[in-house]
Amino acid sequence: MNKKYVYAFSEGDGKNKQLLGGKGANLCEMTQIGLNVPAGFVISTEACLTYLADEQHRLPEGLIEEVHQQIATVEKNSGKGFGNADKPLLVSVRSGSAMSMPGMMDTILNLGLNNNTLPALIAETGNERFGYDAYRRFIQLFGKVALGVPDEKFDVHFEAVKKRSGVKADVGLTASDLKEISGLFLDVVKEHTGRPFPMDVYEQLEISIKAVFNSWMGKRAIDYRREFKITPDMANGTAVNIVEMVFGNMGDDCATGVGFTRNPGTGENLMFGEYLVNAQGEDVVAGIRTPKPVHHMGEEMPEMHSQLETLRSKLEAHYLEIQDFEYTIEKGILYCLQTRNGKMNAAAMVRTSVEMVKEGLINKEQALLRVDPELLEQLLHPRLMQNIKVQPLAQGLPASPGAASGHCVFDADRAEILGRSGEKVILVREETKPEDIHGFFASEGILTSRGGKTSHAAVVARGMGKPCVAGAEGISVDTQQRIAVVGEVTLKEGDFITIDGGTGDVYLGELPTEEPEFSDELKILLSWADDIAELKVMANADTPDAAQKAVEYGAMGIGLCRTERMFNATDRLPFMVNMILADTTEEREEALAKLRAMQRQDFKSLFKTMAPNPVTIRLLDPPIHEFLPTEKELEDDIDNLEQVRKDINGVAVLLSSLRLLRPEVKSNPENTVLPFNEEGKTLVDEAIAMKRHMLSKVRELFEVNPMLGHRGVRLSVTYPEIYEMQLQAVMEAEAECIKEGVSVHVEIMVPQVCTLQELKHVKRYVSATKERIEARNNLTLNFKFGTMIEVVRACMRAGHLAEEAEFFSFGTNDLTQATFSFSREDAENKFLPLYTEKNILHSNPFEVLDIKGVGQLMGLSVDWGRQTRPGMKIGICGEQGGHPESIRFCHHIKLNYVSCSAPRVPIARLAAAHAKLTESGYVVTERVQEVSS
Ligand code: ADP
Ligand code: MG
Ligand code: MG
């Protein structure tokens, strides 16, 4: 027996899109739930693959027989005959694969018309115009789709007749116009193919089926699949749907239209769509006539409108998703020709999901699972107004989402000055450094010409929720001259630019943006997510402002406060620099005391903002030379200052000569210009001395590989007073909060730990400080003491570290770096893009957690840690903590929390719920299995 290739709409499995294609499966499903679908059948994708695999491209054995049988059934039920000159049956031939691939393949309508059936159709309908209209459409579509005749060959004739008859729209053409056109079209086909137009209806059908199959391997389809990364496991081959024709073009009681069951732009529960009276399907999409909005139908064809409303509720009640559907009305009867899940923007997706729960259509779990967490990104940042068509000036990496416009400025100080005065500015730099931080605060967005998605600019911008385009290499920034050059264009300070951190585009001028909407529905949806999720979602936040934002986004605490960020503010940096430059312990302690007072204030307001949720304070992490200028900058400064000193000497010589020449000058103090007097000279000397001192410090602190160098807990061994200062500030802040009755949960975290001895070393300072502050305040502090797990040795020794550490936090940025031995910046700028392009790695491990390597280390650490300390609290605070796929893994290895930048918090909350809801089926995804094993 032959394999079964053909399924009637009444028998096909509506769930099997791989076999029947999306369109075919849904036509079966709709037929079986009793919706009014024209009769028809589906030829499976298996038939397509078998056909394509055959070198001679023969239709699979038995297929034609099956098709004949199916046609016979349709004939029987409709009382019409295929190729019959009495009551002709016409069909459409429509492609459709498991994934929607719009425009891949055109549909052939009115197949079955020929010299015999046409007169029958005209006689039957008594409508000659309709008959010839159907015929000319068929000849053109068949000619184009099945025989490869270019559209233009038909169009010239069509336009010529229209022009001659003086009509604008094709509805104006008369029956005899259309008859003439049909004749001309038949000639076009003959001329182009060298054969007469096939009049045998089964031949027409067979040629069409083959044409649809062939289209699967056509250039258009292949390009489309490559572009949208459609792999064979998503869609393999196309099905062919043969559907009895119904006619929307038989008169004014006929129409054709497309619709959404709800508004896909806003989510509002109102049917949305357009229709055309007296037209055939493709006219709506082709834009030949302007369709009317569907609510007009309520007045024009009220009876049809209410049928359409019934169809809409039936579709939703069955599919439980917003449907995007196509229909035709033939003489007052409504037929549904297609349905699929509607594509919506994020706002509509959220709104409809929540409302469908309230309407009792779906439950909360279904609502949550419908919304892709990454989709929320759209809702959380300002974005460029849709449908703007402006050419970008330059392109960089989409480093932190959102759109912003402002005047460009080329250094952080100018940004601060202009920003303070109320101007909107975009900070444009070659790359940014920690000392630019005040410029970030003052700017709407950041644009750099160097660096990757984890460059300083990108990480800081994401943390602040500000848009950032990084590594826009087409731009060359000249800070000295305060310009940036992009090809022909020169941007001067103050020129307006717009950046889109979601796409990486940079535009000249101010483009309109839309504000984000944290709607009530989104709040509801996320509260359901929190109820279900087991992972808590914390934020990485360093300032009280950022903490406030994190609270608004629903963060359940701060999982990482990087204390070094506090030192970079303009009012603190000088003390930090003094501390580093100090030659004596006293000098150092004096600077530290000032910093301590500032940090205590910062911590206190963080604790208050987050109360009663936990705040995790990480002790100083980066190498301290990051707080100093670079060697090159200092050398330049010293050169310049020396020039100034020479100038002063020159002026002094000039002044003394003047005194001899013109004694009165001496007696007039106004002639001595301030910077050139003696005091100025000593100031310059002092400045030079200070810069030289800094330079020698910078040289002393120089490290070949600072990322692996003198940083983190290692600093506590060389400069114990820094950690002591920070510990004291944290504990004093806690003590003050306790006294004020604020409920605080402080966690102190040590970075870069490799050994238990390091932790013990810090712990000694912790205990001593604690005792002191408790005694002084007469209260009990109850912070937790824990460690980052971000070096490989810490993973391997996790069981031992847990003896001292009360919690672990995986620093997966450093851990990824250490696991791969990839220096992050170099990797992202040089070779990682190629790794992913060539499928050597399935994604950038700094963005998506590398489950197989880094994840494996994490899993081991969790097990060993909890063996020593059962129930130990463990989380992740690397950037990957905001990525849904990584979050699934964190749930899987039973972490307690993920911590990510504030704007990612809503995404992470939803992803944490998804992780719980889909945990039973959790396997490391196939793609991950395949690649990077
Ligand atoms: P696409 O995949 O591009 O949407 P379709 O196969 O859905 O193409 O066909 C496009 C349009 O052609 C449909 O929306 C419908 O209006 C019209 N059409 C297709 N089949 C029929 C049919 N059997 N009767 C009436 N119109 C049809
Ligand atoms: Mg369609
Ligand atoms: Mg780290």
Side-chain angles (χ1 to χ4, degrees), residues 9 23 27 38-39 90-96 100-110 141 241-249 255-258 279-285 325-328 330 335 337-338 340:
F9 290 166
K23 193 183 288 169
L27 283 167
L90 304 188
V91 296
S92 63
V93 178
R94 317 165 67 188
S95 66
S100 152
M101 294 165 61
M104 180 192 98
M105 168 81 203
D106 296 302
T107 293
I108 300 173
L109 299 178
N110 308 329
L141 282 170
N241 302 283
I242 313 284
V243 189
E244 180 187 354
M245 283 302 300
V246 291
F247 298 99
N249 54 338
T256 185
V258 295
Q280 229 176 3
E282 77 270 20
D283 296 353
V284 180
V285 207
F325 64 105
E326 301 178 358
Y327 59 91
T328 283
E330 179 186 303
Y335 295 89
L337 291 171
Q338 186 177 340
R340 61 189 154 202

Side-chain angles (χ1 to χ4, degrees), residues 126 354 362 367 419 449 452 487 577 635 668 736 785 824 839 871 923 928:
V354 171
I362 56 177
S449 61
V577 171
E635 284 166 351
N668 183 354
E736 286 182 21
F785 177 70
R824 189 164 79 195
N839 248 355
V923 270
V928 179

Side-chain angles (χ1 to χ4, degrees), residues 198 230 443 454 671 697 731 916:
I230 298 178
S443 303
T454 47
N671 278 339
K697 214 27 167 194
M731 292 183 210
K916 171 68 186 167

